[in-house]
């Protein structure tokens, strides 16, 4: 149990979830003089924040849906190496979310979401530096840009909607010929026909190291981290929040829900329904690989990424809709090995280590950042889908500004929870 508080105590905030998002918000709140405790059921950064591709996409700002995507879905589902799979047993539960997601694929919505994501992404490298400090940043991240690759395209990739979005947002890119691609990546498959260089993007060589640095910084600056699982939250008669965990009860003035893909489940105990689905993603870490990439690759034809990290070559991607409970499908992770060998036919390595995690995804591709309507002093910071590593610093800052009554540095409107609760 917490000790009694005097009225001069700073406001006590509880943050549920120590992924990149929860910890980024926690650090920002702490620096504004609030007393912050993060409750995490496992180790910090053991959710999606552990296993991502490590891309810090300062100059990437586009949701995953596109106009006409609905017509591609049957082909993807039928292709054993395809980027998307839906577990048949889970389909009835996922249908409302999937339907909303596919409906979002309009040109207008793509532009709206991209504009909003741009505000969260563009300052990611500066935000991470501010949050974890210069020496951790220099050790754990690089700012070398990123390369998108395509196979067998007839048209150059700069005639796509993505290119329109980039030019609308003022994002630079540089089209690459096959010879240039080969210079960057000797030994790359001859199937690769087009490339695009995105300057200004960064990456981490150690996603877990990045979360650890953030968690250490938070605790060094006076934050408290407890290892418990929140099972219920409610407001008491005096308007304070109570949190029941597997081990304890906590009482605070403010609660931030930053439990990644598990956030909607906790909210539903308050009868608040926000559409949030786990887009299960996989990676395989290839230890001691025969190649080292000088910058990360995104294969846009087959939807997977490669990033050389401290522990080896991480190949990641795929979307599996199967909920939070189903065990990992090893086949999905093995597909990534096939894809990597197809891209670099001479690739060898010593060992492969598989991982599956839950991207916390809303159907409109934008996170929830801000107050939860009808629940005074309860705030959400979740739903960052495919780009939470990138968006975490600005999300945490925006949330802290909203809580502390500061003028927000970015427009909070696109991220309001109320868009789902009308
Ligand atoms: C394969 C893959 C590749 C990706 N690649 C990239 C990329 O290159 N760049 C990028 O920007 N993003 C990427 N992402 C997305 C990014 O990883 C996520 O958006 C981000 O990690 C989400 O962070 P989070 O803190 O919201 O969630 P999480 O990291 O999942 O953290 C949530 C935490 O809440 C805790 N928790 C849950 N329930 C409770 C409870 N009841 N009580 C206490 N604790 C609880 C969990 O244990 C977990 O630690 C990728 C994701 C995947 C899966």
């Amino acid at each position: 149990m917490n000790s009694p508080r005097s009225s001069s105590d700073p406001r006590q905030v509880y943050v549920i979830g120590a992924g990149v998002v929860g910890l980024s918000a926690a650090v920002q709140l702490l620096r504004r003089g609030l007393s912050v405790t993060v409750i995490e059921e496992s180790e910090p950064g053991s959710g999606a924040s552990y296993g991502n591709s490590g891309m810090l996409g300062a100059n990437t700002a586009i949701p995953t849906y596109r106009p006409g995507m609905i017509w591609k879905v049957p082909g993807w589902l039928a292709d054993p190496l395809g980027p998307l799979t839906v577990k048949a047993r889970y389909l009835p539960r996922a249908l409302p979310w999937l339907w909303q997601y596919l409906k979002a694929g309009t040109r207008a919505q793509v532009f709206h979401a991209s504009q909003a994501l741009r505000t969260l992404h563009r300052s990611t490298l500066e935000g991470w530096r501010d949050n974890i400090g210069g020496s951790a940043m220099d050790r754990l991240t690089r700012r070398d840009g990123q390369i998108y690759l395509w196979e067998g395209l007839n048209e150059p990739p700069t005639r796509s909607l993505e290119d329109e979005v980039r030019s609308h947002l003022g994002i630079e890119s540089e089209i690459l010929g096959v010879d240039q691609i080969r210079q960057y990546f000797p030994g790359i498959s001859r199937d690769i026909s087009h490339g695009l260089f995105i300057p200004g993007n960064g990456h981490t060589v150690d996603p877990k190291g990045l979360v650890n640095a953030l968690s250490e910084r938070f605790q060094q600056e006076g934050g408290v981290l407890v290892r418990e699982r929140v099972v219920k939250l409610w407001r008491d008669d005096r308007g304070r929040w109570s949190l029941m965990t597997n081990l304890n009860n906590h009482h605070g003035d403010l609660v931030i829900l930053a439990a990644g893909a598990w956030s909607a489940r906790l909210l539903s105990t308050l009868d608040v329904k926000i559409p949030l689905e786990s887009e299960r993603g996989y990676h395989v870490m290839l230890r001691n690989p025969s190649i080292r990439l000088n910058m990360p690759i995104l294969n846009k034809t087959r939807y997977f990424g490669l990033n050389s990290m401290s522990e080896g070559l991480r190949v990641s991607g795929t979307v599996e809709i199967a909920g939070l409970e189903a065990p990992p499908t090893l086949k999905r992770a093995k597909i990534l090995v096939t894809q990597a060998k197809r891209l670099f036919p001479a690739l060898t390595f010593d060992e492969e280590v598989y991982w599956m995690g839950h991207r916390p995804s809303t159907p409109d591709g934008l996170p929830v950042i801000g107050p939860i309507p009808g629940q005074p002093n309860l705030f959400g910071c979740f739903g960052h889908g495919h780009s939470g590593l990138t968006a975490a610093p600005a999300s945490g800052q925006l949330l802290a500004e909203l809580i502390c009554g500061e003028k927000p540095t970015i427009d909070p409107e696109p991220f309001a929870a109320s868009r789902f609760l009308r």
Side-chain angles (χ1 to χ4, degrees):
M1 289 285 210
N2 289 355
S3 52
R5 303 161 67 250
S6 83
S7 56
S8 61
D9 282 345
R11 286 192 293 169
Q12 173 64 53
V13 183
Y14 282 96
V15 178
I16 307 174
V20 282
V21 171
L23 286 168
S24 298
V27 161
Q28 290 293 325
L29 288 163
L30 197 63
R31 291 179 184 170
R32 285 167 171 77
L34 281 78
S35 173
V36 186
T37 299
V38 174
I39 308 185
E40 165 58 53
E41 68 169 299
S42 184
E43 257 186 68
S46 45
S49 302
Y50 171 84
N52 54 64
S53 319
M55 322 255 185
L56 293 165
N59 284 335
T60 302
I62 191 153
T64 52
Y65 48 76
R66 300 281 183 282
M69 194 179 220
I70 195 162
W71 308 115
K72 287 191 172 172
V73 171
W76 285 339
L77 294 176
D79 178 359
L81 295 184
L84 171 71
T85 179
V86 182
K87 273 247 155 62
R89 238 178 314 147
Y90 190 73
L91 183 61
R93 277 186 66 184
L95 260 183
W97 184 95
L98 282 169
W99 179 238
Q100 276 184 272
Y101 174 84
L102 289 170
K103 265 199 329 195
T106 64
R107 207 182 140 77
Q109 177 61 24
V110 168
F111 273 87
H112 165 75
S114 303
Q115 190 102 41
L117 289 174
R118 176 79 173 140
T119 64
L120 289 180
H121 292 183
R122 64 185 312 162
S123 61
T124 181
L125 291 154
E126 294 75 16
W128 270 104
R129 184 170 288 278
D130 183 42
N131 282 353
I132 63 173
S135 68
M137 193 67 186
D138 293 342
R139 181 168 48 86
L140 296 165
T141 67
R142 310 282 179 265
R143 190 179 201 151
D144 301 326
Q146 187 182 357
I147 286 191
Y148 298 165
L149 296 176
W150 287 264
E151 298 173 21
L153 270 191
N154 295 324
E155 291 285 307
T158 46
R159 305 236 174 103
S160 67
L161 175 61
E162 277 195 39
D163 192 59
E164 273 186 68
V165 169
R166 270 190 294 274
S167 82
H168 177 68
L169 298 175
I171 295 175
E172 277 177 43
S173 61
E174 187 189 316
I175 197 155
L176 300 176
V178 173
D179 291 343
Q180 283 169 295
I181 298 171
R182 277 190 220 303
Q183 271 167 21
Y184 276 119
F185 307 113
I188 200 157
S189 158
R190 299 207 165 265
D191 292 343
I192 295 298
S193 57
H194 291 84
L196 203 65
F197 174 58
I198 311 288
N201 273 1
H203 69 276
T204 177
V205 293
D206 182 0
K208 174 68 172 146
L210 210 56
V211 194
N212 286 348
L214 190 55
S215 169
E216 279 158 23
R217 206 68 201 278
F218 166 68
Q219 292 174 81
Q220 278 160 11
E221 293 183 17
V224 176
L225 181 70
V226 296
R227 191 150 167 189
E228 292 169 20
R229 177 165 37 87
V230 177
V231 290
K232 191 168 172 58
L233 59 159
W234 70 95
R235 275 178 82 230
D236 66 22
D237 300 341
R238 288 178 302 149
R240 296 191 81 212
W241 281 96
S242 296
L243 300 163
M244 185 167 94
T245 73
N246 55 331
L247 298 175
N248 211 335
N249 281 192
H250 302 271
H251 309 281
D253 305 298
L254 295 163
V255 173
I256 319 295
L257 192 52
W262 296 269
S263 302
R265 197 185 263 187
L266 281 168
L267 268 182
S268 68
T269 66
L270 296 166
D271 230 12
V272 178
K273 305 264 183 291
I274 291 198
L276 186 76
E277 189 50 76
S278 160
E279 283 189 73
R280 294 151 56 109
Y282 289 80
H283 84 225
V284 57
M285 183 62 99
L286 305 177
R287 295 254 163 87
N288 201 13
S290 56
I291 58 168
R292 175 146 199 101
L293 308 177
N294 36 29
M295 75 183 91
I297 289 176
L298 201 58
N299 182 318
K300 302 278 269 184
T301 301
R302 300 189 184 274
Y303 303 95
F304 70 98
L306 289 101
N307 187 2
S308 285
M309 296 189 176
S310 323
E311 286 189 13
L313 180 66
R314 182 171 289 186
V315 190
S316 40
T318 87
V319 169
E320 181 185 51
I321 305 292
L324 290 165
E325 308 302 343
T329 317
L330 197 55
K331 197 171 69 180
R332 299 299 305 169
K334 290 195 167 174
I335 289 171
L336 294 167
V337 182
T338 310
Q339 303 286 31
K341 284 185 171 165
R342 191 183 243 179
L343 189 60
F344 287 99
L347 172 66
T348 60
F349 46 87
D350 285 350
E351 192 194 354
E352 44 205 68
V353 181
Y354 299 111
W355 174 90
M356 186 276 287
H358 301 279
R359 297 183 191 90
S361 297
T362 61
D364 67 3
L366 297 175
V368 167
I369 306 170
I372 302 295
Q375 306 290 332
N377 294 328
L378 177 64
F379 293 80
C381 202
F382 59 81
H384 291 75
H386 291 245
S387 59
L389 185 73
T390 304
S395 302
Q397 182 177 336
L398 175 60
L399 188 78
E401 289 166 347
L402 292 173
I403 287 175
C404 296
E406 296 167 24
K407 187 173 182 300
T409 36
I410 61 176
D411 179 9
E413 189 58 33
F415 313 112
S418 55
R419 71 192 193 272
F420 293 121
L421 301 171
R422 283 175 190 132

